[in-house]
């Protein structure tokens, strides 16, 4: 136990316990152990009704109500789950020792925690296991310690992190933040910046209303207050959580406890070894039925238009839940709460539009630098006026600066003008115009549009782009228009002579973005590229049954244990003729320019239809990529077969035949990996193969590299730039045109 002694009294404070006396100095820490007299604190069986979910000779599974403490502890010695369990077993206070207890020391004496193998907070409801025999106690304690027990919690969180949405069952957004006790308030926990105990939770949203989200959390570790702290750290605190939550909303909602419910516990039976799953009731969530009742309506086939759920997301969830309910045999008028969760939990991969901000990857820009200011005219010069002449200030330059903070040219204006230098005044120099920095995303290519000397029949001038610079590093800068020089006053020259400020440069630019990535996913529309990316990384966007649900590139980063990162780029679907810009194919393929490897994604679940041959599809995709840019022929490549879970459509047969046919055709072993994004199958192998394509010489270490606790900077990412030949600029030529124009040697303007 630790408490703070007021600062002003620190020098005088004396700790006196049981005859021990010590003068305390500033920042001294005193460890105090209270000797609890167990005989005085004997455990008494109490007649408290329990909601028993399961019981046999080894195990008791209870649905704990809210407000019940699990075992006696300082501040709460009676009315606990332990007291109720003792009564349920028919023990008297003398029989208490017949229940197994832990041996090690803990915050409370082990004798007060008989049979308790894990804990729930006071306000948390749901499934809790109690061991009845010494053997089952040790087996269960070990299973909890070794994380073999699967725990599923349901929580009603505030705020709606969209990254929780759209994950398949078993998956979720991983919150991996170490937890430690707060230094200022020892009763609360917090995310530890350094040190702390590792904690990991997997969160996925089951439904979303305007300001609330119904989330499923699967904690892998079991730290104190883990779920509450993790959700709060992701700006989705649990509704009703007084410690970590948003008080103003809690007051409005009039909820007295954190809306956290231990819904499911899956463990191996301590004697038989059989895997058993226990589910608590959903009653705790009945009281604020907004989300649950929406799903309930949906499950019963009712329309939700009249209900409060104007949110497109909630509507779409309920609509799809309604479609799925009959398949699951749920068609009752009033489905039970468990059925509701079952329907929501079966949420398939379809997700909602997000990150569908308009994306601009090519734009024209007119940059005008500031003019130099003019010198002060007729400045009076006398020997007794020694100050310099009133020169004009310099004009500001227009400078492009690369940043990781923006991802497209959406906010780049069509025309930018840097401020002019001010005119000289009296004997002072005019003010120099500030440089204008325009931020561009990483991967931008800058070309200058130069007048060709020709005009079109309508009289419009024809400009030709010439390569100038490309941005590959964060905070890299490039001056595109240099500011004018300020005018020089009469003193520098002969009497009466003076030079005016020069005009700033004016440039017409073309900016093109080719996103930075290591591997590009290429495939037909609906091949499952986005689902695959969402399953492999945290990137998440629209996944849907329609074609072209993805309309722009998305990059997901896969981080390996040794901090190697592989950036995978999900592109919109390609079709035959893409290299001739059919269905915007060239605009899609341009993002393969920076990839170091290509992954062709094909849906291998296609039955016996020979007219849609898998090998032909792979070859078509590769040919399109090569015809667009011959450099793509030199990149290593692999094939990813998706939707392998649809067994009735022979995916494994197609995968197998694909591997041997590719080997026969290319006389080389092209990696072919089968995956199912829906069930998370084959992803590890897929990720490893991707890494091997990109970094063939860097084997993945078996163990995670320890994080350096004092590392303040972002670790140096081992992302090496592509060091191949310079861009082939042919894509602005007609694809049918002949030789490409010679590339003018890039020249960087000096500021
Ligand atoms: N059964 C099953 N269905 C999948 C799997 N992966 C994706 N799907 C479904 O396939 C459809 C298309 O998935 P997307 O990930 O949007 O495919 P895409 O290639 O990104 O499609 P576009 O962006 O439109 O080109 C969706 O309806 C998914 O639910 C899988 O592994 N198994
Ligand atoms: Mg997609």
């Amino acid at each position: 136990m630790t408490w703070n002694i007021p600062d002003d009294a620190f020098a005088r404070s004396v700790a006196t316990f049981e005859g021990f006396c010590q003068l305390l100095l500033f920042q001294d820490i005193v460890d105090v152990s209270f000797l609890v007299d167990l005989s005085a604190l004997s455990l008494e069986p109490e007649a408290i009704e329990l909601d028993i979910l399961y019981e046999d000779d080894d195990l008791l599974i209870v649905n704990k109500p809210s407000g019940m403490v699990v075992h006696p502890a300082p501040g709460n010695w009676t009315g606990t789950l332990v007291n109720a369990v003792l009564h349920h077993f028919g023990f008297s206070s003398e029989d208490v020792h017949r229940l197994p207890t832990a041996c090690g020391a803990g915050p409370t004496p082990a004798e007060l925690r008989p049979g308790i193998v894990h804990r729930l907070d006071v306000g948390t409801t749901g499934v809790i296991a109690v061991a009845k025999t010494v053997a089952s106690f040790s087996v269960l304690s070990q299973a909890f310690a070794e994380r073999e027990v699967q725990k599923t919690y349901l929580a009603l969180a505030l705020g709606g992190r969209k990254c929780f949405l759209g994950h398949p069952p078993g998956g979720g957004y991983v919150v991996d933040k170490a937890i430690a006790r707060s230094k200022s308030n020892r009763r609360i926990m917090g995310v530890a910046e350094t040190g702390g105990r590792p904690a990991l939770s997997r969160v996925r949203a089951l439904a979303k209303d305007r300001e609330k989200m119904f989330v499923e959390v699967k904690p892998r570790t079991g730290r104190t207050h883990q779920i509450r702290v993790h959700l709060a750290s992701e700006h989705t605190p649990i509704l009703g959580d007084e410690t970590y939550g948003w008080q103003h909303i809690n007051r409005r909602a009039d909820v007295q406890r954190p809306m956290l419910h231990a819904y499911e516990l899956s463990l191996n039976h301590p004697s038989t070894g059989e895997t058993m799953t226990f589910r608590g009731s959903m009653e705790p969530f009945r009281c604020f039925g907004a989300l649950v009742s929406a799903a309930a309506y949906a499950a019963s086939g009712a329309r939700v238009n009249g209900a409060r759920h104007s949110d497109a997301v909630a509507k779409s969830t309920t609509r799809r839940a309604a479609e799925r309910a009959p398949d699951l045999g749920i068609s009752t008028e009033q489905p039970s709460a468990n059925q509701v969760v079952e329907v929501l939990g079966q949420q398939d991969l379809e997700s909602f539009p997000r990150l569908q901000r308009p994306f601009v990857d090519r734009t024209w820009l007119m940059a005008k630098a500031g003019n130099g200011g003019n010198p002060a005219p007729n400045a009076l010069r006398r020997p007794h006026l020694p100050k310099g002449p009133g020169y004009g200030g310099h004009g500001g330059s227009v400078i492009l600066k690369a940043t990781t903070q923006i991802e497209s040219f959406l906010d780049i204006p069509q025309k930018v003008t840097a401020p002019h230098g001010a005119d000289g005044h009296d004997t002072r120099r005019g003010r120099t115009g500030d440089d204008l920095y325009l931020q561009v995303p990483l991967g931008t290519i800058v070309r200058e549009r130069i007048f060709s000397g020709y005009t079109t029949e309508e009289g419009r001038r024809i400009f030709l782009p010439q390569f100038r610079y490309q941005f590959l590093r964060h905070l890299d800068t490039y001056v595109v228009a240099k500011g004018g020089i300020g005018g020089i006053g009469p003193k520098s020259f002969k009497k009466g002579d003076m030079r005016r400020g020069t005009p700033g440069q004016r440039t017409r630019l073309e900016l093109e973005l080719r996103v930075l990535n290591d591997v590009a996913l290429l495939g037909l529309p609906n091949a499952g590229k986005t689902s695959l990316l969402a399953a492999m990384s945290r990137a998440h966007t629209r996944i849907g049954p329609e074609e072209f649900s993805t309309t722009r590139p998305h990059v997901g980063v896969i981080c390996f244990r040794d901090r190697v990162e592989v950036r995978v780029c999900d592109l919109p679907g390609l079709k035959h003729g893409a290299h001739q810009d059919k269905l915007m194919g060239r605009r899609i393929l341009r993002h393969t320019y920076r990839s170091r490897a290509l992954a062709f994604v094909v849906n291998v679940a296609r039955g016996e239809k020979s007219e849609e041959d898998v090998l032909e599809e792979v070859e078509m995709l590769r040919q399109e990529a090569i015809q667009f840019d011959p450099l793509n022929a030199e990149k290593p490549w692999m094939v990813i077969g998706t939707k392998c879970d649809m067994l009735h459509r022979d995916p494994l047969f197609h995968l197998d035949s694909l591997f041997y046919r590719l080997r026969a055709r290319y006389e080389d072993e092209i990696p072919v990996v089968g995956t199912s994004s829906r069930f998370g199958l084959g992803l590890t192998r897929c990720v490893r193969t991707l890494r091997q394509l990109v970094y063939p010489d860097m084997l993945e270490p078996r163990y995670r590299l320890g994080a350096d606790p004092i590392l303040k900077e972002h670790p140096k990412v081992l992302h090496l730039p592509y060091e191949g030949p310079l861009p082939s600029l042919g894509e602005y030529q007609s694809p049918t045109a002949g030789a490409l124009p010679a590339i003018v040697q890039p020249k960087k303007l000096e500021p």
Side-chain angles (χ1 to χ4, degrees), residues 149-466:
V149 180
Q150 304 271 338
K151 296 165 275 181
T152 307
Y153 289 72
L154 297 175
L156 199 76
L158 296 170
R161 275 300 297 267
K162 286 186 184 157
C163 55
F164 296 162
L165 282 168
H167 292 281
Y173 180 87
V174 178
V175 187
D176 184 1
K177 296 178 178 171
I179 288 182
R181 207 164 272 285
S182 157
K183 285 191 182 131
S184 53
N185 182 352
R186 306 297 294 171
R187 288 185 175 190
I188 66 173
M189 312 295 288
V191 169
E193 302 215 328
T194 55
R197 303 181 73 191
L200 195 142
S201 319
R202 212 172 257 281
V203 190
R204 94 186 161 107
L206 299 178
K208 182 181 173 298
D209 196 3
R210 272 178 217 140
E211 63 173 12
K212 297 194 206 90
M213 201 181 240
F214 192 39
V215 292
E216 174 200 89
V217 188
K218 286 184 185 281
R220 178 144 165 70
T221 49
R223 309 284 172 232
T224 312
H225 301 178
Q226 173 174 330
I227 297 175
R228 294 159 67 190
V229 170
H230 270 176
L231 285 178
S233 76
E234 292 289 331
H235 311 285
T236 43
I238 296 177
L239 176 70
D241 190 342
E242 281 297 312
T243 316
Y244 306 102
W246 292 341
Q247 265 47 300
H248 59 292
I249 300 189
N250 292 343
R251 253 172 265 132
R252 201 173 353 127
D254 195 23
V255 188
Q256 313 304 334
R257 63 176 194 90
M259 282 313 202
L260 179 62
H261 179 59
Y263 175 62
E264 196 180 280
L265 191 68
S266 180
L267 43 80
N268 292 340
H269 191 276
S271 359
T272 63
E274 180 197 350
T275 306
M276 303 182 87
T277 302
F278 306 100
R279 286 190 174 170
S281 93
M282 274 297 300
E283 232 23 64
F285 289 94
R286 271 269 175 235
C287 52
F288 49 102
L291 293 171
V292 177
S293 68
Y297 269 126
S300 64
R303 314 192 93 225
V304 284
N305 291 347
R308 254 187 64 232
H309 310 285
S310 59
D311 195 346
V313 172
K315 268 191 190 165
S316 152
T317 313
T318 46
R319 180 176 49 75
R320 282 181 296 104
E323 283 165 10
R324 251 171 291 128
D327 301 344
L328 296 167
I330 300 173
S331 58
T332 48
E333 278 292 298
Q334 289 234 317
S336 75
N338 282 355
Q339 285 175 327
V340 170
V341 172
E342 194 181 342
V343 173
L344 288 175
Q346 288 280 332
Q347 189 177 35
D348 57 26
L349 283 175
E350 259 81 278
S351 64
F352 316 103
R354 76 174 282 256
L355 280 186
Q356 298 286 10
R357 273 188 88 197
F359 178 79
V360 182
D361 56 1
R362 191 166 159 226
T363 185
W364 284 352
L365 168 73
M366 164 87 91
K368 170 78 179 79
N371 300 335
N374 291 324
N378 309 327
L380 190 64
R381 308 276 163 234
R382 291 273 167 74
H384 62 275
L385 291 175
K387 297 257 177 71
Y391 287 8
H394 302 307
S397 304
V398 180
I399 302 175
L400 299 187
K401 184 173 188 178
T403 172
T404 48
Q405 303 290 311
I406 57 174
E407 51 169 22
S408 86
F409 301 134
L410 187 61
D411 302 319
I412 300 241
Q414 284 189 338
K415 187 173 178 186
V416 289
T417 315
H420 300 306
D423 291 345
H425 179 71
D426 201 8
T427 57
R428 270 178 289 119
R429 173 160 219 148
R431 195 170 175 279
T432 298
D434 291 336
D435 290 341
L436 188 138
Y437 282 88
L438 198 62
Q439 303 212 51
V440 290
L442 282 191
T444 300
I445 294 175
V446 185
R447 299 196 188 88
E448 188 175 345
R449 298 175 56 232
I450 296 171
F451 180 45
S452 63
Y454 296 97
T455 50
T456 60
E457 284 175 5
E458 302 92 55
R460 287 176 60 187
R461 291 185 294 166
I462 298 175
F463 293 90
L464 291 178
Q466 279 205 347

Side-chain angles (χ1 to χ4, degrees), residues 350 525-531 544 548-550 643 645 677-678:
E350 259 81 278
N526 252 349
K529 301 176 289 298
T530 313
S531 320
F548 296 107
S549 38
T550 308
K643 312 198 189 179
D645 51 288
S677 325
R678 176 162 298 180

Side-chain angles (χ1 to χ4, degrees), residues 88-103:
H88 173 74
F89 292 157
F91 288 175
S92 67
S93 46
E94 284 80 50
D95 294 335
V96 167
H97 61 273
R98 283 172 50 197
L99 268 187
T101 55
C103 332

Side-chain angles (χ1 to χ4, degrees), residues 682-738:
L683 295 181
T684 315
R685 196 161 155 238
C686 179
V687 164
R688 293 228 170 103
T689 317
L690 287 176
R691 171 176 167 144
Q692 217 155 34
L693 288 187
V694 181
Y695 300 104
D697 306 329
M698 288 170 62
L699 291 181
E700 192 189 351
R702 272 191 67 197
Y703 299 105
R704 181 190 284 268
L705 289 191
D708 185 354
I710 51 173
L711 195 71
K712 288 281 186 299
E713 276 173 45
H714 197 68
K716 296 277 177 294
V717 177
L718 295 174
H719 176 82
L720 312 175
Y722 177 63
E723 284 174 355
L726 265 172
S728 51
L729 296 169
E731 69 216 71
Y732 294 113
Q733 297 279 311
S734 153
T736 50

